Amino acid sequence: MKRLCLMLLLATTTACVSTNATMLNPSPMRRAPVPVDQVRIYRTADQVPSKYEELALLNSTGESSWTNEQKMMESMRKKAGAMGANGVILDAITEAGAGAKVVGAIFGTGSERKGRAIAIFVLPDTTAKK
């Protein structure tokens, strides 16, 4: 019974990050999904190697005691890829303050880690030599 409870707890905590997307300039032509392992993360727009189109604003949230930055970024990559984006430009990942964490622990309400980013489609570099 303990093992079953532990497995159930593990299953429910592995998906603790949720990401929603707000489309920018929605068009009738949808892009094909991109596998998550092909969605690159960029810390700044200057790191993007060529021109790109902004597809959506991404907002992620997760319980701070069960998530970390890596899980936040993976959730963003997954959502971006499903929308046809091949890149994500990070904006910010914020932690709940110490006070919020203490209050959450005392009252059992938890505290949230939040992340923002922009899902992009990096256009092929047409100046590259073949």
Side-chain angles (χ1 to χ4, degrees), residues 50-81:
S50 63
K51 291 183 180 181
Y52 60 89
E53 297 174 358
E54 294 182 351
L55 301 181
L57 298 174
L58 303 175
N59 289 293
S60 297
T61 58
E63 171 60 44
S64 62
S65 60
W66 298 107
T67 64
N68 57 31
E69 289 180 359
Q70 181 178 349
K71 288 180 183 178
M72 298 290 278
M73 286 188 261
E74 287 301 313
S75 179
M76 289 177 186
R77 288 176 68 200
K78 183 177 179 182
K79 186 64 153 186

